[in-house]
Amino acid sequence: MNFTDRPRRLRRDGVRELVSETSLAPEDLIAPVFVDATTDERVPIQSMPGHERVPIDQAVDRVEEVLATGVEAVMLFGIPESKDAQGSRAWAEDGVVQEATRRITAETDAYVITDVCLCEYTDHGHCGVVEETAAEDPDLTVKNDETLDLLGKIAVSQAEAGAEMVAPSSMTDGMVGAIREALDDAGFSDVPIMSYAAKYESSFYGPFRDAADGAPAFGDRRHYQMDPANREEATREVRLDVEQGADVLMVKPALPYLDIVRDVDREFDYPVAAYNVSGEYAMLHAAAEKGWLDLDAAATESLLSIKRAGADLILTYFAEDVARRL
């Protein structure tokens, strides 16, 4: 045995780290934060161990906890005090995300990103204005063009409150263009858009719907979120968002769609984000509770795989735990 090429030579301690191709850093991560206008105390999210809904008065404290781990950016999701058919609390000046954003930007150094969607704010749980027959016999469920104006209003209200980036997640055709136009017209041309450019109708969202109280009251979201079977369509979706002015391109979910992350990274010269969603988080916790895997090691390996696939940014519920170990 006289091999010239022996890859194991570079796997010894000391040199292994020097030749490592992919690395994670706290600044690669974005931590989701749930702010709840209906409570005066922190409420554990049962399906997402270690995470809580926090009242507005504790939003700053919660973000300070994130910053202490080295993570620099947060994504705010809101649970409003009331809901209606249009989701009007989503763009209210005194809305839960708007008020939390003002406090967090005034009192911390966090980079604040806000979710632009309606599902947490509508009494029907869908991501826009629904058609009249949606509950009984839906055709497209959400009226696309009627929803665009509302998304623009949400983004402007969040920018006025101090949001440093907005992130539309509704998969409404034309959403990036409508939001870009609304922001520019309101004097916020410097506020970037991180578009959920390829968001799939996934079974991995279940725990988030507990966390954000945003499950549909009827039907599902197949009429506006992408078919998990489709890969080439993702490139088309992303290209449309680029043409409309997106600054960062997100793929959601992450782990079951690493091929999409890779495709977007190769095709487009833009920062790529991936959302390591609630179901991905919850299943690792469940397996660890059974003693079937090491949670810390599995979480880090999962995020490394997302980064290796081509993501520059990772939105993940593991952000704080992994950042502490980096």
Side-chain angles (χ1 to χ4, degrees), residues 67-78:
L67 296 176
T69 69
V71 175
E72 299 173 353
V74 296
M75 173 88 83
L76 299 185
F77 297 92

Side-chain angles (χ1 to χ4, degrees), residues 55-79:
I56 293 173
D57 287 344
Q58 294 190 39
V60 170
D61 292 341
R62 176 72 189 95
V63 170
E64 291 285 11
E65 293 167 6
V66 172
L67 296 176
T69 69
V71 175
E72 299 173 353
V74 296
M75 173 88 83
L76 299 185
F77 297 92
I79 296 87

Side-chain angles (χ1 to χ4, degrees), residues 51-172:
H51 284 273
E52 304 167 311
R53 297 182 182 184
V54 301
I56 293 173
D57 287 344
Q58 294 190 39
V60 170
D61 292 341
R62 176 72 189 95
V63 170
E64 291 285 11
E65 293 167 6
V66 172
L67 296 176
T69 69
V71 175
E72 299 173 353
V74 296
M75 173 88 83
L76 299 185
F77 297 92
I79 296 87
E81 59 190 20
S82 62
K83 302 187 179 191
D84 58 36
Q86 281 203 318
S88 59
R89 294 301 300 172
W91 63 84
E93 183 179 355
D94 61 346
V96 57
V97 165
Q98 288 79 359
E99 183 57 33
T101 298
R102 287 188 195 93
R103 298 186 186 198
I104 294 166
T105 55
E107 300 182 42
T108 79
D109 293 327
Y111 187 81
V112 177
I113 308 167
T114 50
D115 178 62
V116 179
C117 198
L118 287 155
C119 59
E120 298 107 309
Y121 301 89
T122 54
D123 53 15
H124 47 72
H126 281 284
C127 302
V129 180
V130 294
E131 58 183 10
E132 289 74 8
T133 61
E136 298 80 24
D137 185 23
D139 179 25
L140 289 175
T141 310
V142 169
K143 294 181 177 181
N144 191 92
D145 294 6
E146 291 87 338
T147 298
L148 295 176
D149 181 59
L150 303 185
L151 297 176
K153 292 168 69 172
I154 296 168
V156 170
S157 73
Q158 293 173 347
E160 289 174 340
E164 290 158 295
M165 178 183 286
V166 296
S169 60
S170 66
M171 287 302 288
T172 311

